[in-house]
Amino acid sequence: MDLETGVYKNYVKKESWRTVLTLAYQSLGVVYGDLSTSPLYVFKSIFEEDIQHSETNEEIYGVLSFVFWTLTLVPLLKYVFIVLRADDNGEGGTFALYSLLCRHARVNSLPNCQLADEELIEYKKDSIGLAPKSSFGSRLKSTLEKHRVLQRFLLVLALIGTCMVIGDGILTPAISVFSAVSGLELSMSKEHHKYVEVPVTCIILIGLFALQHYGTHRVGFLFAPVVLIWLLCISAIGLYNVIHWNPHVYHALSPYYMYKFFRKTQRGVWMSLGGILLCITGSEAMFADLGHFSQLSIKIAFTSLVYPSLILAYMGQAAYLSQHHIIKSDYRIGFYVSVPEELRWPVLVIAILAAVVGSQAIITGTFSIIKQCTSLGCFPRVKIVHTSSKIHGQIYIPEINWLLMVLCLAVTVGFRDTRRMGNASGLAVITVMLVTTCLMSLVIVLCWQKSVFLAIGFVFFFGTIEALYFTASLIKFLEGAWVPIALAFIFLIIMCVWHYGTLKKYEFDVQNKVSINWLLSLGPSLGIVRVRGIGLIHTELVSGIPAIFSHFVTNLPAFHQVLVFLCIKSVPVPHVRPEERFLVGHIGPREFRLYRCIVRYGYRDVHKDDMEFEKDLVCSIAEFIRSGSVAPGNVNEDLVKDDDKMTVVGTCSSHTEGIQMSEDEYDADNKEAAGPSELKEIRSPVVKPRKRVRFIVPESQQINSGAREELRELLEAREAGTSYILGHSYVKAKQGSSLIKKLVINIGYEFLRRNSRPPTYALSVPHASTLEVGMIYHV
C-alpha cells in the first residue's frame, strides 16, 4: 500500500480557483460538521439552569451579543486570520505547532535525532532571517535549549492539548447526537421521551463506531452535501424567525448589550459563559484538518457560508425566544422549538445526519492525532489500518475505536442531559484553545521572528477571553466538567509513562552499544558461520552496534551473508519525501557485507507494507553500492557517530535513473528474452531459485568489479529470503531506584509494553521469518 504519491500530489496542488472552491466545498463535511451543529444545544445549555429570560429581553440580547462576538473573535479573527498561517508544511494542529518549535529551537523529545535530519526539505526553516543575538527571540531560544525542565514543560503542554482533543472525541459525538435526537421531545410528553431519547442516541452511536472500520471514503461523498443542506436549513429558518418574530433583533449584535446583560445578571453571566462557549466547539478543526485542504479553501468556506449561517441561526433563535417568554415546559427551550412545526420532522432527520457527520470528523481526527503521538514516541504502539489506498489520512485504530465507543456510551447514559454534557465538552474545547494560544505565542517569536510585544499582545487578548471561558467551565467541575479532566489525566499519565520508559530504554541502548572496533577485531570472516539470506536487525540506534547483536552472536555464532542494521525512526516533520526516505551506509569494510539503513518517516506519513518495504530497502542498498562505485565524491553524505558515512538514498520510485529491481518466478525451460539495449542485468548464478531477482542498471553507469560482486551477493541473499531479528526486551528499574521510578518502569511501562504492538508492527513482519532475542534492560 503506497500512498506517498497521493500525499505529494496533494501537497503540491495547484491553487486554481476551481481547486480552491472544490476544496472549500469538501471541507464542509470534514472541518465544519461539529461547529455547524452547535446551534442544537447552545441556547438550551444557557437557559436551562443558569439564567431566565424576562420580558425586557435583556438576557436574550445579551446572550446573542456574547455568541456573536465569541464567534467573531475566536474562530474568525484568531483561527482564520492568524493561526492558520502557522502551518507546518501544510499541516496543522497541536503537534504541528510543537514540531515547528522543535525545528527552530532544539527542544525535540525524540532521542535518535541526527544532523542529517536537518537537511530534509520539509525540515528547512522559513526564509526569514535569523534574529540578531541581542533579540528577545534569541535569548528565549537559548533559554529553552539550556533548561531541560522547560523542554519537558513544553512537551507536557502539547500532550495536554492532545489529551483534551481525545476527550473531545468522546464528548462531541455524545452531545451532538443526543441534542439532535432531542427533537423527539416535541412529539411526545416529557415522561415518555426521556425513555426514548437515550436508547435512540446509543443505537446511533453504536452504529457510528461499528462502521468505522469500513473507512469514511465509502460514504464521504455524502458529508459535504449533508452539512451544506444543514447550514442552508438553519440559516433559512433563522432568517424566517428574524423577519417573522423580531426584525430588530440585530440590535443585539452591539457589545453594549453584553454590558447590560452583565449589569443585570452579574453572577449569572459568569455561569452562562460555559454554555456560550459551546458556540465555538469544533473551531480547532479548522487548524487541525488543514493538511487535507488549504488555507484559502478553509477561509472561503468559513467566511462565505459557515459564519453567516451560524449568525443567522443564533439570531433566529433569539428572535423567537424574545417573543415567547412563557414556555410550558423548560425542556422545550432547545433548537427545535424555534423551527416551524410543519418542518420539524425533516429538520430532525437532517440534524441527526449532520450530527453523525460532525461526530465522524472528530473520531477520525482523534485517530489521526493518536497516530502522530505514536510516531513521536508519546503513545503506546497501536494497530493502524489505512482504510483507503487513494486518500491519505483516512485511518482506523481498532483499540481506540472501541475504547471511544464505550466511553461515549458511558457519558451518554451517565449524564442523560445536554447541560452536563455541554459543561464537559466546553472545558475540553477551551483547554485545547488555550494550549494553541500559548504555543502560538512561542511560534510568533521563535519561528516568525516577530516582536515580543506582538506575541504578548496575542496572548493577552485571546488568552484573556479564553481564560474567562475556562474559569467559567471549571466552576462547573461537579456538574460534568470533571469528565474531560479525568480523561485527560488518565491519557496524560499513559503518554508520560510511555515516553519516559522509551527514553530510558534508548539511553540504555546507547550506553551498552557495541563499538565498531569490536566488530573489526573479529576479522573479515568474523569467526562466524555466514548463512544465505538477508538478516534485518531492528534497532533504535542510529550509530554503533546494538547490544542484542552481541548477545545474539554469543548464543548463536552464525548469521546471514548480508546483515542490515535497520532503524525505523520518526522525524519532527509531517512528511519525508520518497527521495529522502533512506540513509544507507557501510559498517566496517565493504567485504563484511554489513550495512546500516535508517528509514525516516514524518508524523503524518504512511508506512508501506512488508513486501513493498523489503523491495525498497534492498533497492536502496543496491543504489547505495552503485552510487558509491560511480562517483563517491558527488553523493550527499553526512558523518554520524562512529564515522559511519551515511548516504541519502530514495525509494525505487524516486531514483528512476538508478538501479531498479525485478522479481519473478524462474522457469528453467524458457530462455530469457533479451532486454533493451540500453539496459544490462546483474543476475544471481543460483541454479533454480524460487524467485529470480534482477537488478536493472542503466548502461551509461559503469560499475567497478568490487561493486558488481557486492551487488551479486546482495541478489543471492535476497533470493534466499529475509529474516527479521528483533529484540524482545524486559525493562526493569535499577537497584536503588526511587519508589516512583520503580512504579513507573516496573509496573506502568512494562504493562503498556506488554499490551502494545511490537516496534515492527507497521511492517507486518511474518512470524515465520522472525527471530526474537531476549534481553533485560536495567534502567
Side-chain angles (χ1 to χ4, degrees):
M1 180 169 55
D2 185 4
L3 306 186
E4 289 178 336
T5 305
V7 171
Y8 292 102
K9 283 182 180 177
N10 183 53
Y11 179 74
V12 296
K13 53 184 174 282
K14 296 179 180 179
E15 289 292 329
S16 65
W17 277 109
R18 183 176 180 178
T19 303
V20 170
L21 292 178
T22 303
L23 289 173
Y25 169 73
Q26 293 173 347
S27 70
L28 294 176
V30 177
V31 177
Y32 299 109
D34 185 12
L35 185 62
S36 65
T37 55
S38 56
L40 287 170
Y41 44 80
V42 169
F43 275 89
K44 185 173 183 178
S45 299
I46 295 170
F47 290 105
E48 190 170 30
E49 181 177 302
D50 297 327
I51 55 176
Q52 299 294 326
H53 53 292
S54 61
E55 297 287 343
T56 61
N57 287 331
E58 289 183 355
E59 295 86 359
I60 296 292
Y61 286 3
V63 167
L64 178 59
S65 184
F66 265 104
V67 168
F68 171 76
W69 286 105
T70 302
L71 276 170
T72 302
L73 294 177
V74 179
L76 184 62
L77 182 58
K78 176 186 171 183
Y79 281 96
V80 170
F81 290 109
I82 301 176
V83 176
L84 283 181
R85 294 179 58 231
D87 65 300
D88 180 14
N89 293 286
E91 298 291 338
T94 304
F95 267 101
L97 294 176
Y98 181 70
S99 175
L100 278 175
L101 293 173
C102 287
R103 300 207 303 273
H104 285 78
R106 297 185 183 277
V107 295
N108 190 12
S109 61
L110 293 174
N112 51 3
C113 295
Q114 298 171 275
L115 291 175
D117 298 338
E118 299 184 12
E119 298 300 319
L120 293 170
I121 293 176
E122 292 199 5
Y123 198 102
K124 299 293 186 181
K125 300 179 176 64
D126 300 332
S127 58
I128 302 173
L130 294 176
K133 294 183 179 180
S134 59
S135 70
F136 179 82
S138 295
R139 293 197 299 271
L140 177 61
K141 176 183 175 182
S142 62
T143 302
L144 286 173
E145 292 176 348
K146 288 179 183 176
H147 295 85
R148 193 75 175 172
V149 175
L150 295 178
Q151 296 175 21
R152 290 172 180 168
F153 174 77
L154 197 62
L155 175 63
V156 170
L157 186 64
L159 292 181
I160 289 174
T162 301
C163 292
M164 285 298 180
V165 170
I166 298 173
D168 197 26
I170 297 168
L171 298 166
T172 294
I175 188 173
S176 297
V177 176
F178 187 86
S179 299
V181 173
S182 66
L184 295 171
E185 67 190 11
L186 297 176
S187 59
M188 58 185 70
S189 64
K190 184 176 182 179
E191 289 71 21
H192 292 93
H193 91 83
K194 65 182 180 180
Y195 296 110
V196 175
E197 205 170 28
V198 174
V200 171
T201 301
C202 291
I203 291 172
I204 294 174
L205 289 174
I206 292 172
L208 174 63
F209 284 101
L211 294 175
Q212 288 300 312
H213 69 282
Y214 289 108
T216 59
H217 65 285
R218 300 181 188 275
V219 292
F221 66 94
L222 294 174
F223 287 1
V226 165
V227 177
L228 177 62
I229 293 171
W230 169 249
L231 288 171
L232 294 176
C233 178
I234 62 175
S235 59
I237 292 172
L239 186 61
Y240 166 79
N241 285 331
V242 169
I243 296 173
H244 187 265
W245 296 111
N246 189 353
H248 301 290
V249 74
Y250 68 89
H251 291 155
L253 302 184
S254 169
Y256 172 69
Y257 285 90
M258 287 193 291
Y259 167 72
K260 291 182 67 176
F261 180 42
F262 178 78
R263 187 178 62 182
K264 180 175 182 179
T265 59
Q266 296 180 0
R267 188 175 182 274
V269 175
W270 195 265
M271 299 297 294
S272 66
L273 287 179
I276 294 169
L277 166 65
L278 298 177
C279 72
I280 55 175
T281 57
S283 300
E284 185 74 22
M286 286 192 288
F287 184 48
D289 294 326
L290 181 60
H292 300 292
F293 305 99
S294 66
Q295 290 186 31
L296 187 58
S297 63
I298 290 179
K299 290 178 180 179
I300 289 175
F302 183 78
T303 55
S304 63
L305 182 61
V306 179
Y307 178 73
S309 297
L310 291 175
I311 298 300
L312 282 174
Y314 289 118
M315 288 176 65
Q317 289 187 59
Y320 180 88
L321 292 175
S322 67
Q323 301 300 319
H324 297 79
H325 301 100
I326 301 176
I327 298 178
K328 295 179 181 179
S329 301
D330 290 339
Y331 72 93
R332 291 173 177 258
I333 202 172
F335 166 79
Y336 290 101
V337 74
S338 64
V339 178
E341 191 169 352
E342 57 273 13
L343 296 177
R344 281 177 183 167
W345 279 106
V347 171
L348 174 66
V349 174
I350 298 172
I352 292 176
L353 291 175
V356 168
V357 169
S359 302
Q360 173 63 56
I362 193 67
I363 292 169
T364 304
T366 304
F367 292 158
S368 180
I369 201 164
I370 287 178
K371 178 184 179 295
Q372 294 178 28
C373 292
T374 304
S375 299
L376 296 177
C378 297
F379 198 86
R381 291 177 291 267
V382 290
K383 181 180 181 180
I384 297 175
V385 180
H386 297 277
T387 58
S388 173
S389 60
K390 298 179 180 179
I391 304 175
H392 175 69
Q394 291 194 0
I395 61 175
Y396 167 68
I397 305 177
E399 301 96 326
I400 300 300
N401 181 66
W402 302 122
L403 178 63
L404 291 179
M405 187 189 77
V406 170
L407 293 175
C408 192
L409 292 175
V411 168
T412 304
V413 175
F415 284 161
R416 297 191 298 278
D417 69 81
T418 307
R419 181 177 57 84
R420 286 186 290 179
M421 290 184 193
N423 294 338
S425 179
L427 184 61
V429 167
I430 199 62
T431 305
V432 176
M433 291 182 176
L434 272 172
V435 170
T436 300
T437 300
C438 295
L439 295 178
M440 267 300 301
S441 63
L442 294 176
V443 168
I444 290 172
V445 175
L446 296 177
C447 305
W448 293 356
Q449 303 294 341
K450 300 295 184 181
S451 169
V452 64
F453 297 106
L454 184 63
I456 293 174
F458 179 86
V459 171
F460 180 78
F461 183 75
F462 292 107
T464 301
I465 295 172
E466 291 162 359
L468 287 173
Y469 283 118
F470 179 77
T471 54
S473 298
L474 207 57
I475 288 175
K476 300 182 179 180
F477 179 83
L478 298 177
E479 299 174 22
W482 61 270
V483 172
I485 295 178
L487 291 173
F489 180 76
I490 293 172
F491 280 108
L492 185 63
I493 290 296
I494 291 173
M495 290 180 177
C496 290
V497 167
W498 181 260
H499 184 67
Y500 178 77
T502 302
L503 282 178
K504 290 299 178 184
K505 182 176 176 293
Y506 182 79
E507 290 174 2
F508 179 88
D509 281 335
V510 172
Q511 293 168 1
N512 292 273
K513 67 182 179 181
V514 180
S515 68
I516 293 180
N517 292 330
W518 169 81
L519 187 65
L520 297 176
S521 66
L522 298 177
S525 66
L526 301 181
I528 291 172
V529 177
R530 305 292 291 267
V531 297
R532 294 179 62 230
I534 298 177
L536 293 181
I537 299 180
H538 186 273
T539 174
E540 301 294 330
L541 296 175
V542 294
S543 65
I545 297 172
I548 62 167
F549 178 71
S550 61
H551 189 65
F552 170 70
V553 170
T554 302
N555 290 275
L556 184 64
F559 55 82
H560 301 79
Q561 66 187 107
V562 174
L563 206 61
V564 181
F565 291 90
L566 177 65
C567 174
I568 300 175
K569 57 179 282 189
S570 295
V571 289
V573 297
H575 304 290
V576 176
R577 302 194 174 194
E579 60 267 25
E580 302 174 307
R581 175 78 67 215
F582 292 94
L583 271 174
V584 185
H586 279 115
I587 297 181
R590 181 180 292 231
E591 58 269 19
F592 280 25
R593 305 298 189 252
L594 302 181
Y595 305 93
R596 184 186 310 285
C597 187
I598 299 171
V599 190
R600 302 178 292 185
Y601 287 98
Y603 57 81
R604 292 294 298 270
D605 270 332
V606 176
H607 293 221
K608 290 186 175 183
D609 60 28
D610 58 327
M611 297 306 295
E612 283 294 319
F613 178 81
E614 284 184 22
K615 182 178 178 181
D616 272 347
L617 178 64
V618 174
C619 205
S620 67
I621 296 174
E623 179 63 18
F624 163 72
I625 295 170
R626 182 202 66 82
S627 62
S629 69
V630 175
N634 295 331
V635 293
N636 184 9
E637 295 183 346
D638 179 67
L639 286 177
V640 294
K641 293 180 181 178
D642 294 332
D643 296 329
D644 293 340
K645 289 184 179 181
M646 304 295 290
T647 303
V648 177
V649 182
T651 60
C652 293
S653 59
S654 66
H655 50 72
T656 54
E657 299 300 322
I659 286 183
Q660 298 296 312
M661 188 171 71
S662 172
E663 291 182 316
D664 52 25
E665 296 296 333
Y666 181 77
D667 187 356
D669 297 330
N670 295 331
K671 294 185 178 180
E672 300 176 19
S677 59
E678 69 273 11
L679 297 179
K680 60 181 178 179
E681 298 179 359
I682 297 178
R683 301 190 303 274
S684 169
V686 180
V687 179
K688 285 188 177 181
R690 287 176 299 174
K691 268 195 175 182
R692 182 180 59 183
V693 182
R694 296 176 294 167
F695 284 146
I696 304 175
V697 188
E699 185 70 34
S700 58
Q701 302 291 351
Q702 299 299 321
I703 303 178
N704 60 41
S705 59
R708 186 177 296 277
E709 181 62 29
E710 193 172 356
L711 285 172
R712 185 169 286 111
E713 194 164 346
L714 181 62
L715 278 174
E716 292 179 21
R718 171 61 175 166
E719 287 179 346
T722 304
S723 299
Y724 291 82
I725 302 172
L726 311 177
H728 192 82
S729 57
Y730 297 87
V731 183
K732 293 184 178 180
K734 292 185 294 188
Q735 292 291 335
S737 299
S738 64
L739 179 62
I740 296 178
K741 184 176 181 180
K742 289 180 179 179
L743 290 174
V744 170
I745 297 295
N746 295 350
I747 298 177
Y749 179 76
E750 188 61 19
F751 173 80
L752 295 175
R753 187 196 63 79
R754 287 177 179 272
N755 290 277
S756 65
R757 302 280 169 172
T760 53
Y761 75 99
L763 300 180
S764 304
V765 178
H767 292 289
S769 303
T770 303
L771 176 64
E772 291 190 353
V773 181
M775 282 194 67
I776 298 179
Y777 286 65
H778 292 282
V779 299

